[in-house]
Amino acid sequence: MHALTQFSPGEIFALWAVLGTAVLGLLYAVFLMAQVLREDKGTAEMQEISRSIGVGANAYLVKQFKTILFLILLLTAALYFTAGAKNIAIGRACAFLMGSIFSATVGFVGMNLAVRGNVRVAAAANRRSFSQALKIAYRTGTITGMLTDGLGLFGGTVIFMIYGEKAYEVLLGFGFGGTLLALFMRVGGGIFTKAADVGADLVGKIEKNIPEDDPRNAATIADNVGDNVGDCAGMAADIFESYEVTIVSAMILGWASYGHKGVIFPLLVRAVGVIASIIGTYAVRTKEEVRDAMKAINIGFILSAVVSIVGFSAIGFYYLKFPGGQFSLPFWASLGVPGLDLRPVLTTLVGIILAVTINRLTEHFTDTGKDPVKSVAESCQTGHATAIITGFAVGLESTVWAILVIAISIVLSAFIYQGAGATFIAYGVSMAGIGMLTLTGNNISMDVFGPVSDNANGIGEMAHLPKEARQILADLDAVGNTTKAITKGIAIASAVVAAISLFNAYITNISALTNLTYEQIAGMLSISNHNVFVGLLIGGAIPFLFSSLTIKAVGRAAFLIVKEVREQLKDKDIWEGKKLPDYARVVSICTAAAQRELIRPGLLAILAPILVGLLLKKEALGGFLAGMILSGQLLAVFMANAGGAWDNAKKLIEDGLFGGKGSDAHKASVTGDTVGDPLKDTAGPALNPLIKVMNMVSLLAIPIVIRYENSPTAFVLAAVAAVALVMLVIYKPKSTPEELELIRKA
């Protein structure tokens, strides 16, 4: 770690302390793991159901990793040629592989703990203990959260300690590895989970009027498997890559503005966040007589936020001193202390406030106790169409407030650095992203809490637990729907802030590769330039095309599941409960469909930015990124919140509102929920890694774009590749023999 020689003894100590904090986060995850695994696993029947879910989830993930392994190895080799110096090229390729492995590890280990925690939550509810069930479910989620915190901080710090001022070039590979794995896990897991969920609901609830997790429904195990591979593994990888991408952008811009202090401070903020998450997540609990899970989770989140703010403010006060009058600062940025620059602290605080605000905003639009969800439930009384119309309206409105909050945060960050220059303003925005994801441990705890509670509820129903235990699990499941939606809101907002930071890093990289200044390049990115405008249009369209691919994939797979479940329910012994259906067949159909549909969206994300840059030049690629960021954010928030509102409106009716289960209002709510399923759990969340993958690809590819943007040969090859990509996108995958058999029976 020879790069450390350029730092002061205090900074070297701080970096080792950050590394130690990362290890502390991992040890805390192990501590919680031991706690959760000591809990009662319930009856033999409950354990068997949980074991079936775990076997299916692991089989799916192993197959998914095998499917994408060749592409990961190919990209590892390709990244070697995107850097100039040999040591950087080797480091970038190795970092990409490490980022991929870390992202996969977070998803795989987190998912396995989730499928072990679900049965323990059900067992706690069976003992009539709401508080204990909540604690187990939340701490199971926290294990994944701390793995994300610990591995993300560990990888970024080690790379910086080895490469010093060149670390950002290597970290591009680390961030890209985590981002790409997250995209594949999000898309594949989302297709799997929603195909099973939609199929189970349409046949079970609407056609046969049986409960969601009735053991006679052949899709019920696949549905619970999907919750884990989609929400646990997928979201964990998603937030992990957000965690890495924000640190990459902060390092690039921090070095360009403040030098090494601009790089070390974000790492110190992240270390404080790990400690704050440990304190806040461990504090989540509720009294048995209160039974307010959402309040307990919010208290833990606010506690972590307060600890984090106090911690990074104190660090900033002592560390961010620049003697010699290096910066001319307003009084509020220096508090009258010569050389003190608190602007990084203030912009980080903006990010914390943004996270809390997005948290509350998403809760407003998706919580069962709030007016938007109640309005969707009320609309179900007049039929399926009005339920869908109202849910659409709720989702559309939510996008406006979300983007206004993000816009205000960016304006505040820019105001704090007003007059300091474009690079400093860009660094301020990147620090807001650092602040927003400081509480990553809490965010993922909230997200994994959702599928763990959902699975526990399913186990309770399949194992025929008593009514009181089932109500505890249903209440936790409803809160889990809200926490999942909140985490999606945080992930989407972080994607936008990170993308804006990466967009500025994109300009900085062009400046480093050419003789142009940052301001000159920014001036070239005007929509009066027809190439920039065309790039803007194409970029704006890509999220819609990507969403179409993923939603169609869910529709095709759900069609097959519906046919399979119907076919199995024709068996009299299955319908009368004398024998179990063939759960494994449905899991197999979902797995095959997800794997078949996985590669096309991934290739679109990787190739589209490169082809736009080679065909329309670097300025058009800038326009492409801007269009993609805007439409991707709006579309992702709409889909996530509309889907969450439909889901919880269904939960309200199932709790007895407007006629309860089996009523016409209930059937309308199920239709809304099944329409929202691929939106909120497949297409919407997958847009987060899509936005960041395209930004990372652009950063990595810009040297190639600049070198060959005026080459006729490169133009022709890119045009041919673009045509091939379009043909690949519109190509309909062939059905397997098993699927053709189902279609013939239809």
Side-chain angles (χ1 to χ4, degrees):
M1 297 188 181
H2 63 278
L4 294 181
T5 56
Q6 61 189 296
F7 304 122
S8 69
E11 288 173 333
I12 294 172
F13 174 80
L15 286 170
W16 281 108
V18 170
L19 201 62
T21 305
V23 174
L24 176 65
L26 296 173
L27 291 175
Y28 179 55
V30 173
F31 167 73
L32 291 180
M33 193 183 305
Q35 272 196 346
V36 169
L37 294 179
R38 281 199 302 267
E39 298 290 342
D40 177 30
K41 295 185 287 185
T43 65
E45 183 181 9
M46 293 163 64
Q47 292 178 44
E48 182 58 34
I49 296 168
S50 177
R51 194 176 299 113
S52 298
I53 296 170
V55 169
N58 278 305
Y60 169 79
L61 275 191
V62 168
K63 188 163 186 177
Q64 176 167 279
F65 291 148
K66 287 180 179 177
T67 301
I68 61 177
L69 179 61
F70 176 74
L71 181 60
I72 296 299
L73 294 176
L74 183 65
L75 287 172
T76 301
L79 280 174
Y80 177 82
F81 298 101
T82 63
K86 187 174 182 180
N87 65 323
I88 298 297
I90 294 172
R92 182 178 287 181
C94 292
F96 171 79
L97 195 58
M98 182 170 70
S100 302
I101 292 170
F102 278 11
S103 186
T105 300
V106 167
F108 193 81
V109 175
M111 184 207 71
N112 273 280
L113 264 297
V115 298
R116 285 165 173 76
N118 55 20
V119 70
R120 289 163 170 83
V121 174
N126 195 33
R127 296 195 300 269
R128 316 297 196 275
S129 174
F130 182 94
S131 58
Q132 185 69 4
L134 166 65
K135 187 170 76 171
I136 295 170
Y138 194 80
R139 289 187 179 177
T140 301
T142 304
I143 294 167
T144 310
M146 298 316 299
L147 281 174
T148 304
D149 259 349
L151 288 176
L153 188 59
F154 182 86
T157 306
V158 166
I159 290 171
F160 181 69
M161 292 172 77
I162 294 172
Y163 287 93
E165 65 181 75
K166 297 292 184 181
Y168 77 87
E169 296 188 54
V170 177
L171 279 166
L172 285 174
F174 188 54
F176 184 42
T179 300
L180 193 63
L181 251 290
L183 179 67
F184 284 124
M185 294 177 78
R186 258 303 180 196
V187 171
I191 293 169
F192 183 109
T193 182
K194 292 304 108 180
D197 196 0
V198 170
D201 282 356
L202 289 178
V203 179
K205 291 183 177 180
I206 292 182
E207 295 182 7
K208 298 296 184 180
N209 198 25
I210 58 178
E212 180 172 358
D213 291 292
D214 192 296
R216 293 171 291 179
N217 191 326
T220 189
I221 290 292
D223 184 10
N224 285 294
V225 168
D227 289 334
N228 292 288
V229 299
D231 281 320
C232 293
M235 178 56 90
D238 186 359
I239 294 290
F240 176 83
E241 52 90 14
S242 292
Y243 194 85
E244 288 316 310
V245 167
T246 50
I247 202 71
V248 169
S249 59
M251 282 184 164
I252 293 172
L253 296 164
W255 194 273
S257 51
Y258 286 103
H260 56 84
K261 286 194 175 186
V263 178
I264 293 176
F265 181 67
L267 292 173
L268 292 170
V269 172
R270 283 282 162 85
V272 170
V274 171
I275 295 170
S277 288
I278 290 173
I279 294 170
T281 54
Y282 203 75
V284 172
R285 61 193 70 199
T286 186
K287 294 181 179 178
E288 194 60 34
E289 58 271 17
V290 176
R291 293 194 172 195
D292 191 337
M294 198 69 239
K295 181 179 179 181
I297 291 170
N298 282 332
I299 288 173
F301 190 87
I302 296 299
L303 176 60
S304 290
V306 170
V307 172
S308 185
I309 291 168
V310 171
F312 68 68
S313 297
I315 289 172
F317 187 84
Y318 286 102
Y319 181 58
L320 295 174
K321 292 179 180 177
F322 301 87
Q326 190 172 354
F327 305 112
S328 177
L329 300 172
F331 177 81
W332 51 264
S334 63
L335 298 180
V337 178
L340 178 64
D341 189 350
L342 289 178
R343 291 176 297 181
V345 171
L346 295 173
T347 49
T348 306
L349 177 61
V350 169
I352 293 277
I353 295 170
L354 173 59
V356 173
T357 307
I358 290 290
N359 183 317
R360 294 296 186 182
L361 191 62
T362 309
E363 182 182 343
H364 172 75
F365 283 103
T366 58
D367 189 80
T368 53
K370 308 297 181 183
D371 289 341
V373 172
K374 290 179 180 178
S375 71
V376 176
E378 288 171 3
S379 70
C380 292
Q381 297 175 93
T382 51
H384 302 254
T386 48
I388 292 171
I389 289 168
T390 308
F392 260 95
V394 166
L396 290 169
E397 181 189 352
S398 70
T399 63
V400 177
W401 302 113
I403 207 161
L404 282 177
V405 168
I406 294 170
I408 291 169
S409 301
I410 294 169
V411 169
L412 281 175
S413 299
F415 172 77
I416 289 169
Y417 273 100
Q418 188 175 22
T423 305
F424 282 92
I425 292 173
Y427 180 65
V429 174
S430 72
M431 286 308 301
I434 291 289
M436 188 175 189
L437 288 175
T438 295
L439 305 179
T440 291
N442 300 69
N443 291 331
I444 295 187
S445 302
M446 292 166 66
D447 181 73
V448 177
F449 170 83
V452 169
S453 301
D454 193 348
N455 268 205
N457 193 21
I459 291 170
E461 190 166 284
M462 294 182 73
H464 307 291
L465 294 186
K467 184 178 179 181
E468 186 179 343
R470 287 295 324 284
Q471 189 58 53
I472 289 172
L473 295 171
D475 291 343
L476 291 175
D477 189 9
V479 172
N481 282 334
T482 301
T483 59
K484 284 193 296 182
I486 288 171
T487 314
K488 290 182 179 77
I490 295 287
I492 293 162
S494 74
V496 175
V497 175
I500 293 167
S501 301
L502 288 172
F503 185 75
N504 284 296
Y506 171 78
I507 298 174
T508 303
N509 271 15
I510 295 176
S511 178
L513 293 166
T514 64
N515 294 321
L516 301 171
T517 65
Y518 183 100
E519 289 73 15
Q520 287 174 320
I521 298 163
M524 293 163 61
L525 300 177
S526 168
I527 57 172
S528 62
N529 180 329
H530 67 279
N531 271 5
V532 174
F533 190 70
V534 170
L536 182 77
L537 296 177
I538 296 172
I542 289 292
F544 288 87
L545 177 59
F546 181 86
S547 299
S548 171
L549 288 174
T550 53
I551 292 171
K552 279 182 180 178
V554 172
R556 282 192 290 266
F559 174 86
L560 298 170
I561 300 305
V562 167
K563 298 303 178 186
E564 175 64 23
V565 174
R566 284 175 179 169
E567 191 67 26
Q568 292 203 36
L569 283 175
K570 290 177 183 177
D571 187 324
K572 186 179 178 181
D573 288 341
I574 291 176
W575 178 247
E576 292 177 354
K578 294 178 181 178
K579 74 174 185 180
L580 292 174
D582 187 352
Y583 299 125
R585 180 167 167 79
V586 179
V587 171
S588 178
I589 292 170
C590 288
T591 300
Q595 297 309 306
R596 189 179 62 247
E597 304 279 2
L598 192 62
I599 299 300
R600 292 189 303 157
L603 289 177
L604 177 66
I606 295 168
L607 296 178
I610 299 172
L611 296 177
V612 167
L614 291 174
L615 291 170
L616 298 172
K617 302 187 179 181
K618 60 184 178 295
E619 297 85 2
L621 182 52
F624 174 90
L625 294 176
M628 179 267 300
I629 292 168
L630 177 60
S631 70
Q633 193 277 339
L634 291 170
L635 196 55
V637 172
F638 157 69
M639 291 194 285
N641 287 348
W646 275 316
D647 196 344
N648 268 349
K650 178 194 70 175
K651 286 285 191 295
L652 274 179
I653 293 173
E654 288 179 343
D655 282 344
L657 203 63
F658 307 130
K661 292 182 179 180
S663 65
D664 288 340
H666 181 232
K667 290 180 179 178
S669 73
V670 172
T671 299
D673 179 38
T674 50
V675 170
D677 274 340
L679 303 186
K680 71 180 173 68
D681 289 325
T682 307
L687 287 172
N688 309 331
L690 174 75
I691 291 171
K692 285 168 282 192
V693 162
M694 288 187 164
N695 272 278
M696 295 297 291
V697 168
S698 300
L699 276 174
L700 290 164
I702 193 59
I704 298 170
V705 170
I706 291 174
R707 183 182 302 172
Y708 296 109
E709 64 181 353
N710 295 312
S711 166
T713 304
F715 181 88
V716 171
L717 291 174
V720 171
V723 171
L725 180 62
V726 170
M727 296 299 293
L728 179 66
V729 166
I730 64 175
Y731 167 75
K732 182 180 177 181
K734 293 180 180 179
S735 298
T736 64
E738 293 81 5
E739 292 168 351
L740 289 171
E741 178 191 345
L742 281 172
I743 294 169
R744 280 195 298 270
K745 288 180 179 179

